[in-house]
């Protein structure tokens, strides 16, 4: 097994995923209210996910649904989590 070094904090991971969701939704001109209904989470919860600071986390299944509906891969959704060059400031 390959040694991975230190882990990012839970808050860092939530922040990265939230930023990726926000960025991709903006690029695809996705209405967050309608999108929250499609992925079956409340609009308020989705707002907390995509807000700066990533105040809420997502289950793996919710991440899967988000990726599937947006037509992206889980790798794209998690972009930046495993890349130590993109550390948060």
């Amino acid at each position: 097994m390959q040694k991975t070094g230190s882990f990012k904090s839970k808050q860092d991971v939530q922040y990265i995923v939230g930023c990726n969701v926000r960025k991709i939704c903006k690029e695809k001109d996705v209405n967050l209210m309608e999108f929250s209904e499609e992925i079956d989470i409340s609009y308020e919860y989705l707002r907390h996910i995509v807000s700066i600071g990533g105040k809420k986390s997502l289950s793996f299944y919710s991440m899967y649904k988000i990726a599937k509906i947006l037509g992206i891969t889980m790798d794209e959704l998690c972009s930046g989590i495993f890349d130590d060059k993109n550390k948060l400031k």
Side-chain angles (χ1 to χ4, degrees):
M1 187 181 277
Q2 181 181 6
K3 187 175 179 180
T4 59
S6 64
F7 290 97
K8 285 189 172 37
S9 71
K10 179 180 177 181
Q11 291 80 15
D12 285 352
V13 171
Q14 288 173 193
Y15 174 81
I16 291 167
V17 171
C19 286
N20 289 341
V21 171
R22 181 176 61 247
K23 177 181 156 233
I24 294 164
C25 283
K26 187 174 182 175
E27 288 171 356
K28 294 182 177 260
D29 199 29
V30 172
N31 176 296
L32 290 182
M33 181 74 77
E34 294 170 3
F35 187 56
S36 68
E37 293 173 9
E38 286 186 71
I39 58 176
D40 197 28
I41 62 174
S42 74
Y43 173 68
E44 285 300 313
Y45 197 85
L46 181 59
R47 279 190 45 227
H48 284 290
I49 291 165
V50 301
S51 70
I52 295 180
K55 298 174 183 144
K56 299 284 184 180
S57 61
L58 288 164
S59 70
F60 183 81
Y61 185 64
S62 292
M63 289 174 63
Y64 161 76
K65 289 192 296 185
I66 287 171
K68 191 82 167 161
I69 291 169
L70 290 176
I72 61 172
T73 66
M74 291 290 281
D75 283 345
E76 290 171 289
L77 187 60
C78 297
S79 176
I81 292 175
F82 300 104
D83 181 3
D84 287 334
K85 294 175 188 168
N86 293 333
K87 291 186 180 184
L88 298 177
K89 297 180 174 142

